């Protein structure tokens, strides 16, 4: 049995042998997989194309998906252990999950794992990655092709596992040993592909490309018409048909194609070549393709300038839109992935509720290096960071110098907040600040030096200042 979709995207059963692709002997069921009914778009003219082929052949779809993937592989995925209100990052030697995130399967890195989750979600609306827990406790991931999967439903909104059909073999993977990431859908437990939402846009874009391609193939010029006069129409019908057939063959051979554009027409008597101007459809074709690109960017939540749409881009808003690309466009699907791993793998399979995974956007959202250093310096001066924590934020090694792990607050000069106790004197910081303020009051004539010393608990007159020059006796 082959699988086809109707205009509403629902499956239609066909008799064997009637579901082959136009120009191909590959059945639709084999091409689209067991969920082919939800994995294709019907184009203008009746041809049905899978989501996978749309990604491979449609430029705006490919640009949007690849833009998201290239952003995503730059964001590191890290594992953490929660300890009260604090958290500690897990290294590969600390936990098998941290090791599996870096080496998900043989000869693969974290970039391949992120793409295995995010790519199918962007194209098909769903992604399934298998998880294998070895006898030694090591974890390994297994990326599945969504087109080869069929859900094993345990209820209207629940999936108990997956049937995997690959190379003629069929096997089942339980939900406990797989991670399913999908967009929300009102139609069932599997997500809806963004390409289904872009169905009309894809049809229009494909028709526009075919129109432009046909224009080049047929001469790279405005459409033309050959007009027959009364003498030609008066010819014997058989002779007239032969002349028309020969004329059409000559037009295709001599004048069609970009290389033949501009050649003068040579016609038999009784025929006249007339050029036809651009139609309204042709005049709006370029603008329509711009609209298609904007609709693709809107569905994928990508700021238009990040898709090359620079009509409203300025030098000042490009930086803001770049940050929006990571927070508003890429952020939500990555949150789906990290929460799916935490819920379905860590809590359900490993049963370690204190472990979680998270994408670290701090690496890619860093701005100007000088501004970053200035911000960290402000953080140190307000006791938010220790100097070593600030060095860690810049990916620099910690220093063993004295005071690098202390917090600092401004008094008269920057010093560790616990320096008073370390020096055996309590309140020296407050005393220094009070002396600084009394000195300002003395200079402004608010109080005398003796009054200030009395308020500070100091007895006797102030000692002479060695920097003061002796005054001459006016006598």
């Amino acid at each position: 049995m082959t699988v086809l979709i109707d205009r509403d995207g629902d499956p239609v059963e066909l008799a064997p042998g009637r579901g082959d692709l136009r120009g191909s002997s590959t059945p639709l069921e084999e091409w689209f997989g067991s969920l082919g009914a939800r994995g294709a778009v019907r184009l203008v003219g009746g041809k049905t194309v899978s989501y996978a082929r749309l990604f491979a052949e449609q430029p705006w779809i490919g640009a949007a998906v690849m833009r998201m993937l290239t952003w995503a592989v730059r964001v590191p995925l890290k594992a953490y252990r929660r300890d009260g209100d604090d958290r500690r990052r897990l290294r590969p030697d600390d936990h098998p999950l941290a090791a599996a995130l870096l080496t998900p399967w043989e000869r693969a890195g974290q970039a391949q794992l992120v793409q295995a989750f995010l790519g199918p979600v962007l194209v098909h609306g769903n992604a399934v990655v298998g998880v294998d827990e070895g006898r030694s406790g090591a974890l390994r991931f297994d990326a599945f092709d969504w087109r080869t999967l069929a859900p094993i439903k345990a209820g209207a909104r629940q999936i108990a596992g997956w049937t995997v059909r690959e190379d003629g073999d069929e096997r089942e993977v339980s939900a406990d040993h797989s991670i399913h990431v999908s967009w929300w859908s009102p139609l069932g437990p599997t997500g809806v592909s963004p390409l289904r939402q872009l169905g009309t846009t894809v049809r229009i874009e494909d028709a526009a490309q075919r129109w432009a391609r046909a224009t080049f193939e047929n001469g790279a010029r405005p459409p033309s018409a050959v007009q027959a006069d009364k003498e030609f129409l008066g010819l014997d019908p058989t002779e007239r048909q032969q002349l028309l057939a020969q004329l059409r063959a000559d037009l295709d051979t001599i004048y069609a194609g970009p290389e033949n554009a501009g050649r003068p027409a040579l016609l038999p008597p009784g025929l006249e070549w007339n050029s036809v101007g651009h139609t309204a459809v042709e005049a709006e074709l370029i603008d329509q393709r711009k609209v298609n690109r904007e609709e693709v960017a809107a569905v994928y939540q990508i700021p238009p300038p990040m898709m090359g749409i620079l009509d409203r881009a300025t030098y000042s808003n490009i930086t803001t839109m770049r940050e929006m690309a990571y927070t508003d466009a890429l952020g939500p699907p990555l949150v789906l992935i990290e929460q799916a791993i935490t819920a379905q793998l860590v809590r359900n399979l490993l049963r370690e509720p204190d472990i979680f995974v998270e994408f670290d956007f701090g690496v890619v959202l860093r701005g100007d290096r000088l501004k970053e250093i200035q911000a960290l310096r402000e953080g140190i001066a307000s006791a938010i960071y220790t100097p070593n924590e600030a060095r860690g934020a810049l990916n620099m090694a910690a220093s063993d110098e004295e005071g690098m792990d202390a917090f600092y607050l401004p008094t008269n000069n920057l010093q560790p907040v616990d320096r008073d106790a370390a020096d055996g004197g309590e309140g020296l910081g407050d005393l220094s600040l009070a002396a600084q303020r009394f000195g300002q009051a003395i200079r402004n004539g608010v109080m005398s030096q003796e009054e200030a010393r009395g308020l500070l608990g100091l007895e006797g007159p102030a000692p002479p200042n060695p920097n003061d020059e002796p005054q001459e006796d006016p006598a």
Side-chain angles (χ1 to χ4, degrees):
M1 180 187 71
T2 55
V3 178
L4 190 62
I5 61 172
D6 60 17
R7 294 182 179 179
D8 297 325
D10 297 320
V12 177
E13 294 186 4
L14 300 177
R18 294 184 57 190
D20 294 351
L21 287 172
R22 186 175 301 177
S24 172
S25 60
T26 305
L28 285 174
E29 180 174 337
E30 180 181 339
W31 186 27
F32 296 161
S34 59
L35 293 184
R38 296 178 182 174
V41 171
R42 189 191 298 274
L43 303 178
V44 176
K47 182 180 178 181
T48 305
V49 180
S50 70
Y51 293 157
R53 183 160 292 189
L54 286 176
F55 163 71
E57 296 181 353
Q58 288 291 332
W60 302 143
I61 300 297
V65 173
M66 289 305 301
R67 178 69 72 184
M68 299 277 281
L69 289 177
T70 53
W71 286 334
V73 296
R74 296 186 58 208
V75 185
L77 178 61
K78 301 177 180 178
Y80 298 90
R81 184 182 296 277
R82 187 179 289 106
D83 184 11
D85 295 333
D86 298 328
R87 64 180 186 175
R88 177 175 64 87
R89 183 185 174 186
L90 298 176
R91 303 293 178 178
D93 295 336
D94 300 331
H95 197 277
L97 176 58
L101 292 179
L102 295 180
T103 309
W105 54 83
E106 187 177 357
R107 293 186 295 179
Q110 188 174 104
Q112 284 71 40
L113 178 64
V114 173
Q115 291 183 97
F117 277 112
L118 184 59
V121 169
L122 297 177
V123 175
H124 301 288
N126 297 269
V128 177
V129 175
V131 181
D132 180 24
E133 187 177 17
R135 295 181 180 179
S136 62
L139 291 175
R140 283 292 180 268
F141 293 102
D142 185 10
F144 293 122
D145 185 345
W146 173 252
R147 298 171 298 171
T148 67
L149 300 177
I152 303 173
K153 294 186 179 180
R157 304 291 305 181
Q158 237 177 3
I159 295 177
W162 305 89
T163 300
V164 185
R165 300 189 180 109
E166 294 177 330
D167 301 327
D169 297 329
E170 185 173 306
R171 59 190 175 97
E172 292 185 358
V173 177
S174 70
D176 292 335
H177 287 82
S178 61
I179 303 171
H180 177 215
V181 182
S182 67
W183 298 116
W184 174 84
S185 170
L187 305 178
T190 56
V192 174
S193 168
L195 300 186
R196 186 172 183 180
Q197 300 164 356
L198 287 168
T200 300
T201 303
V202 169
R203 283 190 285 272
I204 294 175
E205 176 64 20
D206 176 76
Q209 290 184 14
R210 287 155 55 191
W211 185 295
R213 183 172 63 247
T215 300
F216 277 97
E217 290 177 350
N218 293 325
R221 61 183 181 279
S224 304
V226 177
Q227 183 178 359
D229 60 12
K230 295 180 179 180
E231 180 181 352
F232 182 83
L233 294 176
L235 296 175
D236 180 74
T238 303
E239 182 182 1
R240 188 170 64 243
Q241 291 298 327
Q242 291 177 349
L243 286 174
L244 288 175
Q246 182 63 43
L247 177 62
R248 184 173 297 278
D250 290 343
L251 289 176
D252 291 340
T253 303
I254 302 174
Y255 304 111
E259 295 81 5
N260 296 322
R263 281 192 174 187
L266 300 175
L267 303 176
L271 298 178
E272 181 180 357
W273 191 300
N274 293 320
S275 295
V276 179
H278 285 284
T279 65
V281 174
E282 292 171 311
E284 296 293 333
L285 195 59
I286 296 178
D287 289 338
Q288 179 60 53
R289 295 199 64 192
K290 290 182 178 179
V291 172
N292 296 340
R293 181 170 53 172
E294 292 178 355
E295 289 178 346
V296 172
V299 168
Y300 282 100
Q301 301 292 313
I302 299 176
M306 300 295 102
M307 284 278 289
I309 306 172
L310 303 178
D311 298 347
R312 292 177 292 275
T314 63
Y315 179 80
S316 59
N317 67 15
I318 284 292
T319 301
T320 302
M321 290 192 178
R322 177 181 175 274
E323 294 178 356
M324 289 175 57
Y326 278 98
T327 56
D328 297 341
L330 186 62
L334 292 192
V335 169
L336 280 177
I337 293 171
E338 66 186 25
Q339 292 190 2
I341 295 175
T342 300
Q344 301 176 39
L345 170 59
V346 177
R347 296 177 187 167
N348 186 61
L349 180 62
L350 302 180
R351 301 191 180 280
E352 298 187 57
D354 58 331
I355 303 293
F356 66 97
V357 299
E358 190 175 88
F359 284 94
D360 183 5
F361 282 88
V363 176
V364 295
L365 288 182
R366 287 175 179 164
D368 181 81
R369 194 67 166 180
L370 178 59
K371 293 181 180 178
E372 187 177 359
I373 293 175
Q374 291 173 343
L376 290 173
R377 185 173 62 186
E378 292 292 331
I380 294 173
S382 55
I384 297 175
Y385 296 106
T386 68
N388 269 339
E389 288 174 337
R391 289 175 63 86
L394 295 173
N395 290 325
M396 300 174 66
S399 173
D400 295 331
E401 294 292 331
E402 182 181 359
M404 293 299 288
D405 290 310
F407 288 100
Y408 290 81
L409 281 174
T411 54
N412 188 24
N413 290 305
L414 288 181
Q415 62 181 16
V417 294
D418 57 350
R419 177 62 60 83
D420 292 346
D423 291 344
E426 298 181 359
L428 289 182
D430 294 337
L431 183 61
S432 174
L433 182 60
Q436 182 182 10
R437 292 175 177 174
F438 285 147
Q440 184 69 28
I442 293 171
R443 287 192 294 273
N444 293 334
V446 177
M447 63 177 64
S448 66
Q449 191 177 39
E450 289 75 13
E451 291 173 330
R453 287 177 59 81
L455 291 174
L456 291 174
L458 302 175
E459 298 179 357
N465 190 342
N467 294 325
D468 291 341
E469 297 182 359
Q471 300 292 328
E472 296 182 0
D473 189 351

